[in-house]
Amino acid sequence: MKTIARQMFLNELGAIVGANHVHTSEADRLAYAVDAYWSARLWIDRGRVPELPDAAVAPGSVDEVAAIVRLANVHRVPLIPFGGGSNSQGCIIPVHGGVTVDLKRLNRIREINERSGYVVAEAGINGFALETALNDRGWTLPHYPASVHAATLGGYLACRGSGTVSTKYGKAEDLVMSIEVVLPNGDVMRTLPVPNHAAGPGILQVFVGAEGVFGIITEATMRIERLPEVRRFRSFLFPDLAAGLEAGRRIMLDRLQPCVMRLYDERATIRTVKHVLDAPVERGAYMVIGFDGFADIVDVQERRALAICADLGAEDLGAAAGQHWWDHRYDFYFPPKAPDLPWMFGTLDTVTTFDRMEALYADKKRQLEERFRDHGLYYYAHFSHWFHWGVMVYDRFFIEKPPTDADEALALHDAVWTLAVRINLAHGGVINEHHGVGLKLARFVREQFGNGFQVLDGIKDRIDPHHILNPGKMGFGAPR
Amino acid sequence: MTAASHLAAMAADISALRFCPMYVPADEVAGITRLESHTTRARAVQMWRIAAGHARWTARDAAILYETTLDSLSEAFDVWHAPIRRMMLAARADIWASGLAPPCVVRAVGVLEAEAVPVIAPCETVFIGGEAAQCAEAGAYLEGMAELLDGATCLATQTGAAACALGAVDAARRQAEGLRDAIVRANPRTLIADGPETLWALTKLWPELGAPLPTGIRVVPLMLHLARTREPSTAIAGPVFVHDARAAYLLSETKPEALIVMPGYARQPGAQEKACGTGSVFDVPRAAVAAGGIDMVWGQWTRGLARSCGADDGLHLTHPHLGAGLARERLAYAAGLGARTLASDSPMAADWLLRHRTEVDPAVLWLPRLYQEAGP
């Protein structure tokens, strides 16, 4: 956009939200240009300037969001929704410029309905602020991602996030009942009031996980739960990963409903559990299992889980070790324990069925470490979101001395990802389980869906013909 | 200016914070403005770029550094307690030294520097109103104090804490040295500090600035002195929420534990409060309230994790509208906890909160008033 036209556009934005909510300085725009995506961080680390938005705007109501979208359509300006900025996939990177729409002023709780167990809140509310308000009433939104202190409700849903207790309570997409969304033409739409029905296809789930390419989520109704009477945790040390995976499978198929079940492979047991928690473990596969709810029910669940673990040769490390893990579970994500530049690292998480997981894990570990041996790549994993049919592997690669040159480093990074994602797909997995697609994985979306992508393509072309919303993501290209 | 000395020396520490989103709950000003550049993470990114020589300070960068607090709350919230406050202070020192400080900061430092160093007549005890000197009506916090302190010499005077917070380290040093020399000439045995920031300045900051007090002079916080010598009044409307000044974190014996800010737990009255930090700086004010048998309420943002009242780190001097926003947030927080009174041992905090209190907010009490009201 040329100078005069740009300024006129900014003036119009200011007329919608107030001039003090339109930010154009480089310092402000830089703050909106980087999330937790490694490649964007690399760019900064090597002294480069990433793609900046032309401006950032902070609407205070759904009507203001709608007006911004309508204005952007007139001027064909890309819009990038922004929540807490904690995404690891580059969802918020303004690859085609445009205006970042910071939703954090939409932070009101509309209703806490204790009779039916749901909360209605605006999408920009901080996850921890929402949780605290619920906790004060004896309720919880059982979604405790590592990013809970930073992420927003809208971000949870836009990326289909997962939390520490999702094995029992479900992921963000399971907890959502309905949403309000601003469509790419500026219309404000509400999905059906209930999530389960036979009233036609579920439009709700078209927008959940779409990372803003189909619309901007402005409000959500979420299922909530009463705070549990008890929470109990216990740690185990299995002789090897296979035994731990089998224990987890049996616990899930027996419907014992653990809220937490986190199994570390042998290397992660040493590298992370021992390192961060200072746990006295030298071998084997560490597992933490937690149950919550009424004490008498937890008694039964815990007893049966203990029996399964014992049957598979696990050493019971006790409740104190399990509680210690729970109390320090976020420590892994603060500096200096969290991995950081100049290292290259990435979380390759995927999900598949129990019968395929061991092969997927073993093949990925072997191929990555062989192919990138010259770069010193190493790999480890934990398994932390379990379903009754399968499990998610949260696996990471690390290269401690990547190339100094940013272009070379990025090429190596993307080569690692290409191999890892293709292995995920070849073994019946998906390109991601709970971090989202973003810029990082956008190039694999068409490959993943195959001819199914035409469904998404058709929706996009119909409702956002100019590709204004979050262009460059989810397999869609530049604005038109 | 690119990689100036103070900030460059901290580049390695800043590096680890650059992209960590975990500090959002501690991003107090960002909590009001909802502006991403006010977050700890964004500030760290930019400070690191400058320290590493990848960027130059712009006027907007400098403004952002002053629009936020020195971030001891982010430091407290960090499970590893990275020295975030020192990073910010280093950045401000560099900005000040380079002449890039925003006009509001230059004006504030000018006002602070214009205050004359007091002359103190020889005496046994001097009450140092370092925080009172930053209040709109400093005299209000000296009124009756001489009587309460058995004839102590009472004065409201700059300690250098405010100038230091604004990055004007040389001005802070001059103020510290001037006051230190006046105290030495008066030769008292005891200094009584009016609040946590003054206590921190006299005992921690002055040695760092190269102006330590002589070893024979004892420094005692006002609340502790009163607790040892008098009985508090019980005429206070409970429940009470005790607000800890930002400087209290700098004097705490143990830092907050991460456990206190976990999602998914009901707040148990008082049960976990000490997980937010320990030390007499927190315990003495609470003991004064408890001595009257008055109920107290607590929230997660207390003790070392106390959110700003808006009068910290020079924010009330340079950006009063942001400081006012923080004050309103703090009062609303206390109200949300069910408090009828917000009490603080910091005159600066009490004064600022009182100025921004509305009739729906809890009453605001400077805790030494408990002893004044009780009489001799």
Side-chain angles (χ1 to χ4, degrees):
Chain A
M1 202 179 280
K2 302 297 182 191
T3 306
I4 294 175
R6 178 177 178 276
Q7 191 54 48
M8 290 173 69
F9 174 74
L10 294 175
N11 291 344
E12 288 192 73
L13 277 180
I16 294 169
V17 299
N20 57 327
H21 294 302
V22 180
H23 309 288
T24 56
S25 76
E26 183 176 320
D28 286 309
R29 290 184 293 137
L30 182 71
Y32 288 103
V34 188
D35 55 10
Y37 176 33
W38 184 86
S39 300
R41 296 159 66 169
L42 165 78
W43 234 235
I44 296 275
D45 187 71
R46 303 301 155 84
R48 299 191 180 190
V49 179
E51 290 96 341
L52 303 181
D54 297 308
V57 59
S61 69
V62 63
D63 290 341
E64 290 182 2
V65 176
I68 291 166
V69 174
R70 284 193 294 270
L71 180 67
N73 264 291
V74 171
H75 294 274
R76 306 276 172 94
V77 173
L79 296 177
I80 304 94
F82 190 100
S86 56
N87 182 258
S88 58
Q89 315 293 77
C91 276
I92 55 81
I93 294 177
V95 286
H96 296 287
V99 172
T100 294
V101 183
D102 186 340
L103 295 158
K104 287 197 287 292
R105 287 181 65 218
L106 295 178
N107 65 343
R108 288 159 284 239
I109 296 174
R110 298 290 188 195
E111 180 187 3
I112 298 175
N113 191 306
E114 300 190 32
R115 183 170 172 83
S116 296
Y118 65 80
V119 61
V120 185
E122 291 182 323
I125 191 168
N126 172 266
F128 187 67
L130 174 60
E131 182 62 19
T132 303
L134 291 167
N135 294 168
D136 285 348
R137 300 268 290 263
W139 290 80
T140 180
L141 172 63
H143 185 71
Y144 311 150
S147 60
V148 66
H149 293 108
T152 60
L153 176 58
Y156 289 172
L157 295 170
C159 300
R160 289 182 169 237
S162 191
T164 321
V165 295
S166 69
T167 296
K168 177 174 179 179
Y169 295 103
K171 299 178 64 207
E173 68 265 30
D174 303 313
L175 294 165
V176 65
M177 295 177 66
S178 67
I179 57 171
E180 174 191 80
V181 60
V182 176
L183 295 174
N185 65 356
D187 284 354
V188 179
M189 186 202 85
R190 278 188 176 276
T191 60
L192 297 180
V194 292
N196 303 105
H197 54 77
I203 292 178
L204 167 66
Q205 293 294 343
V206 171
F207 294 94
V208 175
E211 300 175 7
V213 301
F214 293 145
I216 299 176
I217 298 171
T218 49
E219 187 183 283
T221 302
M222 306 293 290
R223 183 165 59 78
I224 56 176
E225 303 279 342
R226 282 190 293 264
L227 282 169
E229 183 180 285
V230 296
R231 275 200 183 103
R232 288 196 210 136
F233 304 92
R234 206 164 190 93
S235 289
F236 300 88
L237 195 61
F238 285 88
D240 54 35
L241 177 66
L245 281 170
E246 176 59 10
R249 186 187 73 82
R250 286 198 209 171
I251 287 169
M252 293 309 295
L253 289 181
D254 283 356
R255 296 262 172 186
L256 296 183
Q257 288 200 308
C259 62
V260 170
M261 192 154 63
R262 184 162 299 201
L263 171 67
Y264 295 85
D265 73 2
E266 292 89 341
R267 188 178 281 159
T269 295
I270 302 299
R271 287 268 187 172
T272 67
V273 176
K274 182 180 178 186
H275 177 57
V276 178
L277 300 181
D278 200 23
V281 288
E282 301 295 341
R283 58 175 174 74
Y286 192 92
M287 186 188 234
V288 181
I289 304 179
F291 293 96
D292 66 4
F294 294 113
D296 48 350
I297 295 174
V298 167
D299 284 344
V300 174
Q301 292 169 320
E302 198 173 43
R303 191 175 69 243
R304 284 186 169 270
L306 271 164
I308 290 171
C309 293
D311 188 44
L312 287 157
E315 178 187 348
D316 182 358
L317 301 177
Q323 186 67 45
H324 184 69
W325 176 90
W326 175 254
D327 291 344
H328 292 273
R329 65 192 188 277
Y330 294 138
D331 292 11
F332 295 87
Y333 304 97
F334 275 95
K337 300 294 182 184
D340 193 16
L341 278 296
W343 286 19
M344 181 184 294
F345 53 89
T347 304
L348 308 161
D349 60 300
T350 189
V351 60
T352 190
T353 50
F354 287 125
D355 59 310
R356 292 169 173 150
M357 180 47 81
E358 278 191 76
L360 185 156
Y361 161 82
D363 197 24
K364 192 161 32 166
K365 183 172 193 281
R366 180 184 58 77
Q367 285 206 48
L368 287 174
E369 292 191 341
E370 280 181 7
R371 174 82 68 84
F372 300 100
R373 179 174 293 140
D374 291 347
H375 294 283
L377 181 147
Y378 60 89
Y379 168 103
Y380 56 73
H382 67 248
F383 301 80
S384 51
H385 302 297
W386 299 71
F387 304 88
H388 299 109
W389 44 262
V391 61
M392 179 278 294
V393 57
Y394 184 107
D395 46 353
R396 280 178 157 177
F397 75 92
F398 298 86
I399 296 174
E400 295 184 8
K401 291 181 180 172
T404 307
D405 178 77
D407 295 329
E408 284 181 39
L410 187 58
L412 173 62
H413 175 265
D414 289 355
V416 173
W417 273 95
T418 298
L419 177 60
V421 169
R422 297 235 159 93
I423 293 168
N424 286 347
L425 295 176
H427 283 276
V430 289
I431 63 175
N432 188 266
E433 197 271 338
H434 70 276
H435 288 104
V437 175
L439 179 61
K440 183 198 283 182
L441 301 175
R443 60 198 171 101
F444 301 110
V445 173
R446 288 169 188 264
E447 184 176 334
Q448 171 186 251
F449 284 114
N451 58 14
F453 188 78
Q454 63 189 310
V455 177
L456 300 181
D457 219 14
I459 294 172
K460 181 72 173 175
D461 279 347
R462 177 67 184 84
I463 67 173
D464 186 13
H466 306 309
H467 285 217
I468 280 170
L469 287 189
N470 212 1
K473 315 291 166 54
M474 203 57 70
F476 301 118
R480 298 169 178 170
Chain B
M1 180 174 69
T2 54
S5 57
H6 297 91
L7 193 57
M10 307 207 73
D13 287 318
I14 300 170
S15 173
L17 272 69
R18 285 175 295 173
F19 307 105
C20 182
M22 301 298 279
Y23 306 101
V24 166
D27 297 338
E28 297 162 282
V29 171
I32 296 172
T33 63
R34 310 276 165 199
L35 184 56
E36 197 62 24
S37 54
H38 284 152
T39 62
T40 306
R41 169 181 53 179
R43 275 180 274 138
V45 167
Q46 194 67 323
M47 284 194 295
W48 181 86
R49 291 177 77 227
I50 290 161
H54 295 159
R56 292 172 177 273
W57 286 112
T58 65
R60 178 62 185 142
D61 292 321
I64 289 168
L65 263 293
Y66 281 102
E67 285 167 4
T68 52
T69 71
L70 285 181
D71 231 346
S72 39
L73 182 51
S74 289
E75 183 172 320
F77 181 76
D78 181 342
V79 295
W80 308 103
H81 306 299
I84 302 172
R85 186 179 185 281
R86 285 185 172 275
M87 297 169 191
M88 296 282 290
L89 194 53
R92 286 188 179 186
D94 282 352
I95 291 169
W96 178 263
S98 70
L100 277 171
C104 60
V105 175
V106 175
R107 274 196 303 275
V109 173
V111 170
L112 294 172
E113 281 209 286
E115 292 192 28
V117 176
V119 176
I120 311 172
C123 59
E124 279 289 302
T125 305
V126 181
F127 171 73
I128 306 287
E131 292 194 32
Q134 296 180 56
C135 296
E137 292 183 43
Y141 292 89
L142 301 184
E143 202 173 313
M145 200 53 69
E147 187 183 350
L148 192 66
L149 299 176
D150 302 320
T153 299
C154 298
L155 48 102
T157 180
Q158 296 297 333
T159 60
C164 182
L166 295 174
V169 180
D170 288 342
R173 185 175 294 111
R174 283 193 294 274
Q175 288 182 325
E177 287 173 344
L179 182 56
R180 189 269 316 267
D181 293 347
I183 290 168
V184 168
R185 284 192 291 274
N187 195 29
R189 292 173 61 188
T190 304
L191 299 181
I192 297 177
D194 66 342
E197 186 189 90
T198 305
L199 181 65
W200 168 77
L202 298 177
T203 60
K204 309 279 188 186
L205 177 63
W206 283 16
E208 284 184 26
L209 293 173
L213 283 164
T215 50
I217 298 177
R218 203 166 56 108
V219 183
V220 183
L222 174 61
M223 282 302 293
L224 182 61
H225 177 83
L226 294 173
R228 284 172 175 167
T229 56
R230 291 174 177 267
E231 291 295 322
S233 163
T234 57
I236 175 173
V240 171
F241 175 70
V242 177
H243 166 80
D244 300 287
R246 179 59 56 86
Y249 168 73
L250 305 173
L251 298 163
S252 60
E253 288 163 13
T254 63
K255 304 301 185 195
E257 298 170 12
L259 176 63
I260 205 68
V261 282
M262 287 287 182
Y265 283 94
R267 194 166 42 226
Q268 301 298 324
Q272 292 176 298
E273 188 173 359
K274 288 204 170 178
C276 296
T278 61
S280 61
V281 70
F282 304 124
D283 295 337
V284 171
R286 285 163 177 77
V289 176
I294 302 157
D295 288 343
M296 282 181 278
V297 292
W298 81 289
Q300 287 156 323
W301 305 111
T302 188
R303 293 183 176 245
L305 283 176
R307 282 182 163 153
S308 175
C309 66
D312 294 300
D313 307 328
L315 192 70
H316 61 310
L317 305 174
T318 57
H319 298 83
H321 63 294
L322 294 174
L326 290 176
R328 285 192 288 271
E329 293 266 317
R330 196 63 177 153
L331 287 162
Y333 184 69
L337 297 170
R340 290 180 63 201
T341 300
L342 183 156
S344 179
D345 59 340
S346 161
M348 195 162 66
D351 187 73
W352 187 251
L353 289 164
L354 195 57
R355 285 174 62 184
H356 296 93
R357 176 184 174 270
T358 66
E359 59 186 19
V360 300
D361 291 319
V364 175
L365 174 75
W366 182 41
L367 275 167
R369 301 282 189 226
L370 279 180
Y371 296 91
Q372 284 183 315
E373 287 166 12

